[in-house]
Amino acid sequence: MPLFALADVNNFYASCEKVFDPKLRGKPVVVLSNNDGCVVARSPEAKALGIGMAVPWHELKDGLPGVIALSSNYTLYADMSNRVMRILGDMVPAQEIYSIDETFLDLTGIKRPDELGHAMKARVAQWIGLPICVGMGSTKTRAKISNHVAKKQPQYGGVFDLETLTPPQEDALLTSIDVGEVWGVGSRIAKRLRGMAIETVKDLRDADPKVMQDQFSVVLERTVKELKGTSCLELEEVYPPKQQIMCSHSFGRDISEFQDLREALSTYTARACEKLRAQQHMAGAVYTFIHTNPFKKGPQLSRGITLPLGDQTDDTLTISKYVQNALRALYFPGYRYKKAGVMLMELRPKEMRQTALFDDPARLKKRDELNKALDTLNLEYGLGTVSFGVTKGRKNWKMRQLNKTPRYTTRWSDLMRVH
């Protein structure tokens, strides 16, 4: 019988911050979204105060003194995630990284999975300083439920295996868990299920899969089968390449100058092209958009345009020219713009590139070498270390991050010092 585990980091963003600043331990900490807008992560102490997810920070900061709000430090979180995933991946035969703080693991054939789960928890805590929980089950959906139990019921010490329960014990446990906690069951589906008297995980497990397919979808049918113990979802060790690559951000403040938009879109284009080359693909079209802030009074504008690239390419300079042409068509003076972005479309593997009749192979080779050098330097020394001149401007469009902590693990100047 297969055995899956789901390991995830508790309160990931907030926990990362606490690793490097002992003063934060035991304090209510929240991490904010781009431009310090909404709460996207909470420490246990912040949850105990009733702070909810996605709540605008400006609605909370005056009424909750003592809460420490930090700007998102995605560079730090990504590096810490990579370290955790490498540790866990080295301890099992196979791994599927599900999100920045979650990973599915293959424990099939391991004699004492509970001991391994506790070893994982101890190793990550000792080597990285982050708390994790590990849930195990014969399917990925059951492993998800087990992880929920490991996280919510402290008597299990952060590690729980659903397959160790007797049928009556499992029935009692699943009866105590709301159906909305099942992987893939959102609030709308949960509401409809409750209208059918399916209120708990046990109720859904015992439902007829065919009825669930008829009333909802084949996805919920599969979920029911997984809850019953029939594995329908394999471990995905190799991920399919993205069909589109998007790079966009809201600005730290509204901007109205063409040059500011040009700098921002050039930066986003360079980042999107780095991602494109990383998956060894080329693009056939690029979508560019700009829009104002719909939540502010004043004239509004939301426009976008898709331009075919002529020939498939992954060259930053070539794609940037199309984006700049698109911006000239989209831009109107007199508006205060809040967000812009680019999307690379019609992606194809680079190995399928066909040169046009008048292409210069030597020129293409030089461009490939230039892009490879840029990617190598930016990977080694950090994003934006080397870039094109058009991206080096006033940066009036940069995100607002007033309380961003140092990049402790990826920048030499931010390394912690012991005195």
Side-chain angles (χ1 to χ4, degrees), residues 109-295:
I110 294 176
K111 294 182 178 180
R112 294 298 303 271
D114 57 328
E115 290 184 359
L116 180 59
H118 285 287
M120 292 174 179
K121 184 177 173 64
R123 184 175 296 185
V124 171
Q126 182 181 17
W127 291 11
I128 306 294
L130 292 173
I132 70 168
C133 285
V134 182
M136 307 171 196
S138 58
T139 69
K140 293 170 78 172
T141 304
R142 287 172 69 86
K144 267 278 195 177
I145 288 294
S146 288
N147 183 272
H148 171 80
V149 175
K151 187 174 296 186
K152 298 296 183 181
Q153 300 191 24
Q155 67 268 30
Y156 295 110
V159 177
F160 180 72
D161 184 354
L162 186 59
E163 308 311 326
T164 62
L165 301 183
T166 64
Q169 289 173 331
E170 179 179 316
D171 289 349
L173 176 66
L174 299 187
T175 299
S176 68
I177 304 175
D178 186 83
V179 69
E181 299 294 342
V182 175
W183 186 26
V185 176
S187 57
R188 292 184 179 179
I189 294 179
K191 183 177 180 180
R192 287 182 60 192
L193 288 170
R194 293 187 188 102
M196 301 168 62
I198 299 175
E199 299 182 350
T200 70
V201 178
K202 179 182 179 299
D203 294 335
L204 184 59
R205 183 203 65 185
D206 294 342
D208 186 337
K210 182 61 176 175
V211 172
M212 293 298 102
Q213 179 184 355
D214 293 341
Q215 294 292 322
F216 295 90
S217 67
V218 68
V219 175
L220 195 61
E221 176 199 23
R222 185 177 59 196
T223 297
V224 173
K225 290 181 177 179
E226 287 248 321
L227 286 173
K228 293 179 182 293
T230 301
S231 182
C232 303
L233 300 170
E234 299 296 328
L235 208 65
E236 297 181 12
E237 298 179 70
V238 178
Y239 306 103
K242 295 179 179 178
Q243 299 303 305
Q244 298 173 332
I245 294 177
M246 165 80 83
C247 188
S248 69
H249 289 288
S250 296
F251 306 133
R253 63 183 182 87
D254 296 349
I255 61 176
S256 57
E257 298 294 326
F258 177 87
Q259 181 60 26
D260 290 330
L261 284 169
R262 182 169 178 255
E263 290 173 12
L265 283 170
S266 295
T267 301
Y268 302 159
T269 302
R271 180 61 183 133
C273 289
E274 286 182 4
K275 295 180 179 179
L276 179 68
R277 291 189 291 270
Q279 71 174 40
Q280 295 291 306
H281 274 59
M282 298 183 301
V286 59
Y287 172 71
T288 308
F289 70 89
I290 58 175
H291 66 70
T292 55
N293 190 344
F295 301 103

Side-chain angles (χ1 to χ4, degrees), residues 354-369:
Q354 294 182 343
T355 56
L357 179 61
F358 298 105
D359 278 343
D360 181 355
R363 177 181 174 275
L364 292 176
K365 182 179 179 181
K366 286 183 178 180
R367 282 295 178 86
D368 284 342
E369 291 173 347

Side-chain angles (χ1 to χ4, degrees), residues 251 253 255-267 290 324 327-328 331-333 335 337 340 388-398:
F251 306 133
R253 63 183 182 87
I255 61 176
S256 57
E257 298 294 326
F258 177 87
Q259 181 60 26
D260 290 330
L261 284 169
R262 182 169 178 255
E263 290 173 12
L265 283 170
S266 295
T267 301
I290 58 175
Q324 301 307 317
L327 177 60
R328 294 185 183 96
Y331 175 77
F332 280 93
Y335 291 88
Y337 297 95
F388 297 101
V390 70
T391 66
K392 301 294 187 182
R394 296 172 294 178
K395 295 292 192 293
N396 291 332
W397 47 272
K398 293 289 285 185

